[in-house]
Amino acid sequence: MAKKKDSDKSAQNDSKTAKTDPAEDEEPNFSDDERYVDDISDEELLSDLVKDRPNEKDGVDTIIVVDGIPQVGPERFDKLQSVIMKFFTKFGTIINEYFPKNEAGHTKGYVFLEYANSENAVEAVNTANNHKLDKQHTFLVNLFTDFKKYEEIPDEWEPPQPQPYKEQSDLYSFLMDPDAYDQFSVMCNRGSSVQIMQNTAPEPTKLQERLRWTETFIQWSPLGTYLATFHVKGIALWGGPAFEQIMRFGHTGVQYIEFSPCERYLVTYSPSNENIDPKKMVIIWDIRTGLEKRSFSIDGTMVWPIFRWSKDDKYFARIGTDTLSVYETPSFGLLDKKSFKLLGIRDFSWSPTDNILAYWVAEDKDVPARVVLIEIPSRNEIRANNLFNVASCTMHWQKSGDYLCVKVDRFSKVKKEKGDQPKYSGMYYNFEIFHMREKNIPKDSEEVKEPIHAFAWEPVGSKFAIIHGESPNICVSFYGVKTGQTPTMLSKLEKRVCNNLFWSPMGQFIVLADLRANGILEFVDTNDFTVMNNTDHFQVTDVEWDPTGRYVVTAVSYWKVKVDTGYWMWSFQGKIIKRNNVDGFCNFLWRPRPPTLLSAEQQKEIKKNLKKYSPQFESKDRMRMTKASKELMEKRSKLMKDFEEIRNRQQEIWKSQKPRRLELRNNVDTDELDSDIKNVEEEVVEFLVKEEVTIVE
């Protein structure tokens, strides 16, 4: 305001000077005084116009340059223009094009195209670059703005400056615990808090607790190296003793992730269509470098996981309409540059130990359904089996890759009179078991007439279990598979209340669980098929074995049930160890362990000499319990001491208030009444409750 007043005074002085100036015919001077400072910006005066002011990049960031087009004369120019425009209009609206020509009217081999917006130009560059028009012409597509960047590249190369070494934390420190305690993660407070715990005895030890560590879920990598957290802008991986951030992957709206078996790659899927390129709905990342390796679009319905990986991360595959596409790493291109054309393919699965792929195709009129085993990368078909009257198939690999069980749901065919089509009534079920380690891969078949509710291989061993039958006569049957023999029923547990099977990672022990309101649990030893314990956890939603097979956790998640949430820990025999009722509990996950480095012979030797190692472990357990007992006694002693101090303090206060009590009670000392009540003798009265008479003959 002061500056404005100064300018007004200056203007008044100028006007007075103009009136007294004899040269009245001179034009008046309307310029500002030299001392005037204009502190009002254009945005304040012309905000509505300034917001539409063009930027420096406007007009050129929508232009692309396409090199490598054919050089043709005037007689073939119209055809060339039609081909180029037809191809590049797929990426957006082209508002201007320019084909440079020489003096003879021949095209110079490149063209300028201008799109309506820069997003279309970027898509054209990413998609059309290196596109082959024919055998002699390949498009080289660049943004017009990139040429300036290329021109500024210095002619002389300068070596990059060495960066200071940044020490990475030990990602495998969790395996170095001397007592081999396992770790687990807990999400609670309705997902706002994440805790990392160590399963120490007698009480778990809290290693980490962070608020709002993730926005939706958490997930361990298959070997336990990384912990993945989900965020609106992407995925973050954490690891090391202090769970530092290892890598970030930017993918807006990501909801699903999958690690490759060896943890080299990460697949992220964002089903959201907001602010995302449709060709980047699925992205495969290199975990070590954080670089995007390849992206994919999703057409139609999606079944997660979209890609399934081979055991060594060398190949991954996806199923399409009548096609099976197998890709290889690290090129991330199609194996042999072509997909498998398989009419009617429905599902496929990789062997957990070999680069063998199994798939099945549905029946088509007179052509039977087929289950086929092929080797990758040779594509050799090593086994095939025809199936008839098939409704669906489900493939189950045994963990060691020794056996493949194909559960086949079949229609029961009923023959009609001549001229009529055969009809189907009812269903029956087959288990087609392929012996992968035997010559020519022989196959056995086991038929079950009753509906199948669940199937599970023993992880270490050659047994499998099924839940079958109609309620209330639900049964659990155990079968054994041996070389050169058909499957043999080992045991049948009748009239069970369960709908899920959970084998111990080490085999032998299994939990039969009813993941419904009842939450009935049955712990079974499959060596002699004895029921070790029959118990329940009301409204249980999840059952998780620890990696060693020593503990089982049953959980009630807030995501499914709103009351009595928490997790209980059991021994493998079904003995309750700890009940943890946690308000807003959401998720419990054991941290996986990588496969042991010991050979099968070394493991067998350790089991054989287990009695030799047992005394030292028992000694450790006794010391640990003694330490725990000592800590408990010290804790109780401290609590008792604190109580005595509080009690003595309160007694002193009570004594100091006696004059006031006498005043309020008309000088009647009622404290003596309390002591009289305390000195009343106790009288014990006994009476007969019940009498039983037993006659001994």
Side-chain angles (χ1 to χ4, degrees):
M1 292 297 293
K3 294 178 181 179
K4 188 175 181 183
K5 289 179 180 179
D6 292 341
S7 61
D8 292 342
K9 291 179 180 179
S10 176
Q12 292 175 4
N13 294 334
D14 291 342
S15 61
K16 291 178 181 179
T17 304
K19 290 181 181 179
T20 58
D21 195 340
E24 295 181 357
D25 56 342
E26 294 182 2
E27 295 183 1
N29 183 11
F30 294 101
S31 60
D32 295 324
D33 187 81
E34 294 179 355
R35 296 170 294 175
Y36 173 72
V37 178
D38 186 2
D39 58 350
I40 303 176
S41 63
D42 293 340
E43 284 73 10
E44 295 181 67
L45 294 175
L46 306 170
S47 58
D48 54 338
L49 299 177
V50 170
K51 67 179 181 180
D52 296 329
R53 181 170 54 188
N55 298 321
E56 292 182 2
K57 66 176 183 178
D58 289 349
V60 294
D61 63 332
T62 58
I63 300 175
I64 66 171
V65 182
V66 184
D67 201 355
I69 68 171
Q71 299 182 23
V72 300
E75 67 280 358
R76 299 181 57 191
F77 174 75
D78 292 340
K79 183 177 181 181
L80 173 65
Q81 186 182 31
S82 176
V83 171
I84 296 298
M85 297 300 292
K86 182 178 180 181
F87 179 79
F88 283 94
T89 50
K90 295 188 299 184
F91 309 113
T93 304
I94 297 177
I95 60 176
N96 193 12
E97 79 275 356
Y98 174 62
F99 290 80
K101 300 177 183 178
N102 58 21
E103 297 177 355
H106 291 74
T107 58
K108 293 185 177 182
Y110 57 92
V111 61
F112 295 88
L113 300 176
E114 183 179 1
Y115 283 93
N117 57 65
S118 58
E119 289 78 10
N120 297 147
V122 172
E123 183 180 1
V125 171
N126 294 335
T127 307
N129 190 38
N130 291 322
H131 173 78
K132 287 189 176 182
L133 180 64
D134 53 36
K135 293 182 179 180
Q136 299 178 349
H137 299 89
T138 301
F139 291 152
L140 299 176
V141 187
N142 292 280
L143 290 171
F144 183 79
T145 53
D146 288 340
F147 283 85
K148 183 178 180 181
K149 178 178 66 176
Y150 299 148
E151 290 175 354
E152 294 176 352
I153 297 176
D155 296 333
E156 296 182 2
W157 178 79
E158 294 182 2
Q161 295 296 325
Q163 298 296 323
Y165 173 73
K166 183 179 180 181
E167 185 177 359
Q168 189 179 41
S169 58
D170 184 6
L171 298 179
Y172 304 100
S173 60
F174 70 101
L175 299 174
M176 304 305 294
D177 185 80
D179 295 315
Y181 287 128
D182 284 294
Q183 297 180 9
F184 59 86
S185 63
V186 176
M187 283 186 67
C188 50
N189 294 330
R190 296 168 178 80
S192 63
S193 175
V194 175
Q195 301 173 352
I196 307 297
M197 312 285 286
Q198 192 169 29
N199 190 32
T200 54
E203 294 291 332
T205 303
K206 186 184 296 182
L207 302 178
Q208 288 282 333
E209 182 175 13
R210 300 182 188 178
L211 296 176
R212 294 178 292 278
W213 199 353
T214 181
E215 297 180 22
T216 51
F217 310 107
I218 59 174
Q219 182 174 324
W220 293 103
S221 60
L223 302 181
T225 309
Y226 307 103
L227 176 68
T229 56
F230 289 68
H231 308 272
V232 173
K233 294 185 178 180
I235 298 294
L237 297 187
W238 311 79
F243 286 91
E244 302 168 353
Q245 188 176 103
I246 306 300
M247 192 60 66
R248 291 182 298 175
F249 305 95
H251 196 180
T252 305
V254 61
Q255 294 185 14
Y256 300 92
I257 67 169
E258 181 194 16
F259 290 88
S260 63
C262 298
E263 299 184 344
R264 294 194 185 104
Y265 306 106
L266 175 69
V267 184
T268 60
Y269 171 52
S270 174
S272 174
N273 293 325
E274 298 179 1
N275 303 323
I276 188 170
D277 186 349
K279 294 186 179 180
K280 291 185 177 292
M281 296 183 70
V282 178
I283 301 178
I284 302 180
W285 308 86
D286 186 298
I287 290 180
R288 291 292 182 90
T289 63
L291 298 177
E292 177 183 330
K293 306 303 292 185
R294 184 165 177 180
S295 60
F296 297 84
S297 59
I298 299 298
D299 299 326
T301 58
M302 185 280 299
V303 177
W304 186 259
I306 300 171
F307 298 107
R308 299 176 190 176
W309 293 83
S310 64
K311 54 96 180 179
D312 54 6
D313 286 7
K314 288 185 178 180
Y315 308 98
F316 62 98
R318 66 181 295 192
I319 193 171
T321 304
D322 297 331
T323 60
L324 177 63
S325 301
V326 180
Y327 302 86
E328 55 185 346
T329 61
S331 66
F332 289 86
L334 278 171
L335 179 65
D336 297 335
K337 299 183 179 180
K338 59 181 179 180
S339 300
F340 292 86
K341 297 297 182 181
L342 303 171
L343 296 178
I345 185 171
R346 292 292 184 267
D347 196 11
F348 74 99
S349 180
W350 287 95
S351 166
T353 55
D354 305 286
N355 286 336
I356 296 176
L357 193 147
Y359 67 87
W360 78 278
V361 294
E363 288 184 88
D364 184 16
K365 298 179 181 179
D366 296 332
V367 180
R370 298 182 76 219
V371 175
V372 183
L373 298 171
I374 59 173
E375 287 182 329
I376 299 297
S378 65
R379 296 182 175 232
N380 293 334
E381 185 177 300
I382 59 176
R383 188 66 163 88
N385 185 45
N386 294 336
L387 302 169
F388 297 91
N389 307 329
V390 175
S392 66
C393 292
T394 309
M395 289 175 284
H396 303 274
W397 284 93
Q398 193 236 13
K399 187 177 180 180
S400 61
D402 296 337
Y403 304 99
L404 168 64
C405 178
V406 180
K407 173 181 167 287
V408 185
D409 300 352
R410 286 179 162 170
F411 296 110
S412 299
K413 183 183 290 186
V414 179
K415 293 184 178 180
K416 293 295 181 180
E417 297 180 358
K418 292 182 178 180
D420 293 340
Q421 291 290 334
K423 296 184 179 180
Y424 301 101
S425 66
M427 299 279 293
Y428 71 101
Y429 308 88
N430 274 95
F431 293 104
E432 308 288 337
I433 299 175
F434 296 84
H435 297 248
M436 301 300 298
R437 305 303 182 194
E438 298 181 38
K439 187 177 180 180
N440 297 327
I441 311 182
K443 177 187 70 69
D444 293 324
S445 182
E446 183 71 22
E447 183 176 312
V448 179
K449 297 291 185 181
E450 299 173 320
I452 307 297
H453 305 288
F455 174 98
W457 279 103
E458 183 183 20
V460 180
S462 58
K463 294 192 289 285
F464 66 85
I466 61 172
I467 301 176
H468 58 95
E470 298 280 359
S471 182
N473 298 318
I474 299 294
C475 302
V476 181
S477 296
F478 296 88
Y479 291 82
V481 182
K482 293 184 179 180
T483 303
Q485 298 181 11
T486 58
T488 305
M489 181 181 288
L490 304 176
S491 180
K492 185 177 181 179
L493 307 179
E494 299 182 343
K495 293 187 177 180
R496 264 27 189 200
V497 181
C498 60
N499 62 352
N500 281 271
L501 302 166
F502 298 95
W503 281 97
S504 165
M506 298 294 107
Q508 182 179 348
F509 304 104
I510 191 173
V511 176
L512 315 179
D514 177 28
L515 301 188
R516 292 171 290 201
N518 296 328
I520 295 175
L521 305 170
E522 201 165 356
F523 295 78
V524 181
D525 183 350
T526 61
N527 273 358
D528 52 8
F529 298 99
T530 57
V531 178
M532 298 179 291
N533 191 17
N534 199 330
T535 181
D536 67 272
H537 185 179
F538 183 64
Q539 292 187 326
V540 61
T541 59
D542 302 283
V543 178
E544 297 281 348
W545 280 91
D546 81 315
T548 64
R550 292 179 293 177
Y551 305 101
V552 186
V553 167
T554 58
V556 179
S557 173
Y558 178 81
W559 290 334
K560 300 177 183 178
V561 180
K562 302 303 180 186
V563 295
D564 297 332
T565 57
Y567 62 96
W568 296 1
M569 188 171 292
W570 312 75
S571 71
F572 68 94
Q573 297 170 319
K575 179 182 177 181
I576 188 68
I577 297 175
K578 184 74 174 179
R579 291 182 175 91
N580 296 280
N581 295 321
V582 182
D583 183 36
F585 166 82
C586 295
N587 182 256
F588 181 102
L589 292 173
W590 289 102
R591 186 171 190 172
R593 283 178 171 266
T596 178
L597 299 177
L598 300 177
S599 64
E601 291 75 15
Q602 290 173 320
Q603 296 180 55
K604 187 176 180 180
E605 185 68 20
I606 291 174
K607 290 180 180 179
K608 182 180 178 180
N609 299 321
L610 191 59
K611 291 183 179 179
K612 184 176 75 173
Y613 304 111
S614 295
Q616 55 181 306
F617 294 121
E618 291 173 358
S619 175
K620 273 191 173 183
D621 291 340
R622 284 195 298 269
M623 291 177 62
R624 192 178 295 114
M625 295 306 297
T626 302
K627 181 181 178 181
S629 300
K630 183 180 178 181
E631 290 177 352
L632 181 62
M633 294 298 295
E634 291 176 352
K635 181 180 179 181
R636 289 179 176 177
S637 176
K638 185 178 183 302
L639 290 174
M640 188 65 186
K641 184 179 179 181
D642 293 342
F643 169 74
E644 291 293 342
E645 291 178 356
I646 295 173
R647 186 172 181 271
N648 293 335
R649 244 186 348 260
Q650 295 301 322
Q651 283 182 341
E652 293 296 330
I653 295 174
W654 183 74
K655 289 179 181 179
S656 65
Q657 293 176 345
K658 185 170 183 177
R660 179 60 176 164
R661 288 198 301 274
L662 291 174
E663 182 182 349
L664 293 174
R665 298 171 184 175
N666 297 323
N667 293 321
V668 176
D669 190 358
T670 57
D671 296 345
E672 300 297 330
L673 296 177
D674 295 338
S675 61
D676 293 341
I677 293 173
K678 293 177 183 177
N679 294 328
V680 173
E681 295 183 359
E682 294 183 359
E683 182 178 355
V684 179
V685 179
E686 297 182 357
F687 57 92
L688 181 65
V689 177
K690 186 178 181 181
E691 182 179 356
E692 293 184 358
V693 178
T694 303
I695 300 174
V696 180
E697 295 182 0

